[in-house]
Amino acid sequence: MPTLRRGRPALRTRIADDRAEAALVEQYTAFVRLAYLTLPASLSRHRRVLMAHAAAQAALPGTRPARVPGPRTAGDGPGGPEDVLRVRVLRAALAGAHRPAGWPARLPPPRTLLPRLPVVWGLRLFPRAGGAEEIALGQALSGASAPARAAFVLRKIDGFTSRRVADLLGAAGVQAPERAVREAAGLDADAGPAAEALLRSQEFDACSVQTRPTDLVRRTRRKRLVLAVGALAAVSAVVLVLPGGSPVERPEVRSSTAAKGILDSARLTRTAPDAWADTSRVDFTAWPARGDRADDEALLARALDSWGTRSDAVRVTATPGTPTDAPPRTPQLLFAGGVDGHDVVLLSDGDRLARYSEPDGSGRAALDLARVDDADVTTAAAVVLSRRDGSARYLTAPWITEATTRDLLRPDTPGRPLDLSDDGVTDPVPVAPATGCDRRPVMQLRSSSRIVEHHAFIVADLGGLSPVHLTYTPLPGHGTPPARQPREATSTQALLVWARSACRLEPWRGGAVRAVNAWDFAEQDLPEGGGHAVWTCARASTWRGPGDVALLLRPPASSTTEPARLVGTARNTAACSRFGQHVVASGRWKSPKGHWYLVAAGSRAVTGISVSGAVDAARSGRSLAVRAPERGAVRVTARLDTGEKLKQVGY
């Protein structure tokens, strides 16, 4: 009797499937993270979580095989089941991020609109909040293309070489994988040396998630609406079939040009109240419509009309670099209500803020415009609603849970609690005086733990619609350490630095500044017992792109608030930014013995400094101090560890 034997092709297929399933289970968290970070940040975190899991779960072998290249080096790992699954996950995530030509920018990619497993009803899922560094990395990734995000993860998490990453992207259908790898390499400056640790943090872990219910009130209203519509349909059906009944009267529909335009108040975009807690884009697009006049159609129509047309009855102002033309799309309503005797409407078209204000009595209405493109959790944290009598009222972002006021010139004085209304409007906050430097009031805000944990930051009013974010970068370590990243100016050291730098903010008032960073780039022991000095580059980054810098020297002082010495300025420069990480500066200084010196210092990569002109000298190292006349032109040049020459910033 012949022996029956199992077909070998079927056996091999079952073994391959078993191996693939085992590999998927073992690498499931890594695959989900890869898909989550590749998907567009414009999606809500809930949808990204579900789509990431769907991409990983659908990666098991199916009808369409995946072409997977073999490993190039020993460090690239296996080219077997793991890479087959990895390519399929990439293919699904990249398809979810793809927008066909002509697809509306306001809509999510079409693949994200299709229902797929897993499905969750009645709950919202989102990863646990990380810290400020995770948020900054998330913002940087959101500005990159989907293939570049995938390449960044493969390089940092999986440790693959650039060639191997390009091969995997090509197998997943990317048309220009080498370009995506180069774009991913450009993200290294934003991520810093801690990129792998940040990517593995809870902020990007779509497998360890938190849950909360959906909008229960809205669900109840929808249920009631469905019941009401059903009842109305039943009654209408009965009326229509009654013998001898009169025809049903239909209301007259009136159309108008305004109703079809983008400046129709009925078409204003209104974000859901809890959207800010379920999105990766934490900026003005996540603000809900607030205020006691948010449903006042007449007020909203006047505000929109002032933005779309020009009238002598409305005074229009704009910050430098801000267009004043009509919005290109239907604006989003952020606020409408009464503030300090004025009716105020706050709108956004995605790139600009528009604040319309009209007095309760007689007077001229005003429209103020300001750029806010690429705002984030800090620069979209508050907006000025009104200024009067030496104070300002702000509307804070929905993610702000706590606010205090403090004076930068009193670093040892704790902040004073600042009350917020239910709509997020602050009590009056003092404004810095127009002349003198007796006080420099700022706000210290705290973000909700639902989006970032243990995150407090400082903002200052410099005359714009949105306050300016203040940060601090400490001195580098010894040797040639990696560049440090700006951090929040809430630590004791940061407050002490800003106490001596705050008076230098005034020249940037009204200049459309989004953030100012105080970077301590060098330190120096002054000659003749002059003590220890620190060099600071304060950089004001504007919304329109360019930045201005002020070079400051902080020698020992008798007071913690004695202003630092201004030794140089520069406008429209990349110096002291991530695109200008090397700097050298100089200035005159008088020793305790009455002798004048030329002192100079450079940042971490400087290996030597030379001066010529009124004095000639050269020194190795990052600093120089040489006797010099009180006046006289000098030229300072630094040598970098790469051999390049660097000219001084400022005068």
Side-chain angles (χ1 to χ4, degrees):
M1 185 175 182
T3 303
L4 297 178
R5 292 187 297 178
R6 183 188 300 270
R8 293 192 176 185
L11 178 60
R12 284 196 297 267
T13 299
R14 185 177 64 80
I15 293 176
D17 290 349
D18 290 344
R19 289 177 177 174
E21 184 175 0
L24 177 63
V25 172
E26 182 180 356
Q27 300 291 329
Y28 187 78
T29 300
F31 291 153
V32 171
R33 180 186 287 107
L34 174 61
Y36 182 80
L37 288 166
T38 303
L39 287 165
S42 57
L43 299 174
S44 69
R45 289 189 290 176
H46 172 79
R47 183 175 294 182
R48 286 174 71 193
V49 167
L50 294 183
M51 291 190 66
H53 283 273
Q57 293 175 16
L60 284 175
T63 57
R64 189 174 70 173
R67 179 184 61 83
V68 180
R72 297 280 178 174
T73 67
D76 278 337
E82 292 87 352
D83 273 358
V84 173
L85 298 172
R86 189 173 286 111
V87 167
R88 286 190 169 121
V89 169
L90 282 171
R91 189 178 291 157
L94 292 169
H98 176 66
R99 291 176 180 271
W103 187 259
R106 295 179 63 87
L107 294 179
R111 289 289 186 95
T112 67
L113 302 176
L114 300 176
R116 62 175 63 192
L117 295 176
V119 177
V120 177
W121 295 94
L123 288 175
R124 309 294 288 179
L125 310 179
F126 52 95
R128 296 180 178 274
E133 292 179 329
E134 286 86 348
I135 286 185
L137 177 58
Q139 291 283 343
L141 290 174
S142 67
S145 65
R149 292 195 297 269
F152 188 77
V153 176
L154 292 172
R155 290 173 69 242
K156 296 297 182 181
I157 295 292
D158 297 288
F160 290 158
T161 62
S162 297
R163 181 63 180 274
R164 181 63 174 164
V165 171
D167 289 345
L168 289 170
L169 292 177
V174 176
Q175 296 299 319
E178 290 82 6
R179 184 190 308 164
V181 173
R182 289 194 299 269
E183 184 181 353
L187 294 171
D188 290 346
D190 293 309
E196 180 180 352
L198 294 177
L199 289 174
R200 293 184 185 275
S201 68
Q202 58 187 6
E203 175 81 14
F204 307 114
D205 186 359
C207 289
S208 300
V209 297
Q210 292 178 307
T211 64
R212 61 179 176 82
T214 54
D215 192 333
L216 299 177
V217 175
R218 187 183 304 170
R219 285 163 57 186
T220 303
R221 289 175 179 172
R222 287 175 178 172
K223 186 183 298 183
R224 292 174 180 172
L225 178 62
V226 170
L227 293 176
V229 170
L232 180 61
V235 171
S236 301
V238 172
V239 171
L240 288 173
V241 299
L242 286 177
S246 301
V248 178
E249 294 188 6
R250 300 182 182 275
E252 180 182 359
V253 179
R254 299 180 180 180
S255 61
S256 65
T257 303
K260 299 177 181 179
I262 62 174
L263 295 180
D264 179 13
S265 59
R267 297 180 59 185
L268 281 171
T269 301
R270 297 172 185 251
T271 302
D274 57 349
W276 61 270
D278 190 27
T279 179
S280 297
R281 185 176 176 181
V282 187
D283 57 13
F284 288 110
T285 61
W287 279 39
R290 290 173 287 176
D292 55 6
R293 305 286 296 277
D295 295 321
D296 188 331
E297 296 293 335
L299 173 62
L300 299 180
R302 291 195 297 274
L304 288 169
D305 185 65
S306 72
W307 196 357
T309 61
R310 290 294 175 265
S311 171
D312 293 337
V314 180
R315 174 182 55 83
V316 179
T317 63
T319 56
T322 302
T324 59
D325 53 347
R329 60 187 68 87
T330 302
Q332 175 187 351
L333 177 62
L334 306 181
F335 177 86
V339 183
D340 294 335
H342 287 70
D343 290 331
V344 179
V345 178
L346 192 63
L347 303 166
S348 170
D349 67 352
D351 295 323
R352 296 172 294 173
L353 285 180
R355 183 186 64 194
Y356 174 78
S357 177
E358 60 181 29
D360 291 342
S362 60
R364 192 179 179 191
L367 179 70
D368 301 297
L369 298 168
R371 284 183 60 170
V372 291
D373 42 320
D374 295 326
D376 56 23
V377 65
T378 56
T379 51
V383 175
V384 177
L385 292 179
S386 73
R387 288 190 184 93
R388 58 178 298 179
D389 301 330
S391 64
R393 285 186 188 269
Y394 297 85
L395 177 66
T396 57
W399 56 83
I400 297 302
T401 59
E402 180 184 317
T404 59
T405 60
R406 66 183 312 143
D407 189 346
L408 286 180
L409 299 183
R410 292 165 177 79
D412 298 330
T413 303
R416 178 177 59 86
L418 182 63
D419 289 336
L420 303 177
S421 71
D422 292 341
D423 282 332
V425 179
T426 69
D427 281 352
V429 178
V431 175
T435 59
C437 191
D438 297 331
R439 54 190 175 91
R440 279 295 177 265
V442 294
M443 284 196 304
Q444 182 166 320
L445 306 176
R446 181 171 295 278
S447 302
S448 169
S449 59
R450 295 171 67 179
I451 61 170
V452 57
E453 292 184 345
H454 311 301
H455 182 227
F457 55 96
I458 288 178
V459 293
D461 184 2
L462 288 186
L465 279 185
S466 57
V468 176
H469 181 209
L470 301 184
T471 56
Y472 166 66
T473 304
L475 284 165
H478 297 289
T480 309
R484 293 192 174 183
Q485 300 299 314
R487 56 197 65 185
E488 302 303 345
T490 53
S491 66
T492 300
Q493 180 60 32
L495 292 173
L496 289 173
V497 170
W498 271 110
R500 300 193 61 184
S501 309
C503 293
R504 303 304 179 186
L505 289 172
E506 194 59 32
W508 293 320
R509 181 172 296 275
V513 176
R514 64 181 296 169
V516 181
N517 179 52
W519 172 32
D520 285 348
F521 65 88
E523 56 186 337
Q524 179 177 16
D525 289 326
L526 298 174
E528 299 185 359
H532 192 73
V534 177
W535 295 79
T536 302
C537 182
R539 176 181 173 83
S541 300
T542 64
W543 288 101
R544 62 187 184 278
D548 301 341
V549 300
L551 281 303
L552 308 175
L553 175 63
R554 297 201 315 271
S558 58
S559 170
T560 58
T561 60
E562 179 179 320
R565 290 184 51 197
L566 180 67
V567 297
T569 61
R571 295 180 57 82
N572 299 330
T573 177
C576 307
S577 73
R578 64 189 181 97
F579 301 108
Q581 298 184 17
H582 308 304
V583 60
V584 62
S586 68
R588 294 300 207 284
W589 172 81
K590 190 175 183 180
S591 75
K593 295 182 179 181
H595 299 137
W596 282 100
Y597 280 82
L598 176 75
V599 292
S603 52
R604 61 189 180 90
V606 169
T607 60
I609 299 176
S610 61
V611 297
S612 60
V615 61
D616 293 315
R619 299 287 188 276
S620 60
R622 298 179 187 171
S623 63
L624 172 147
V626 59
R627 289 279 293 271
E630 181 181 358
R631 293 179 178 85
V634 295
R635 184 173 61 184
V636 177
T637 304
R639 184 179 66 256
L640 301 178
D641 54 8
T642 59
E644 297 176 273
K645 295 295 182 66
L646 178 69
K647 295 181 180 180
Q648 72 170 337
V649 177
Y651 301 132

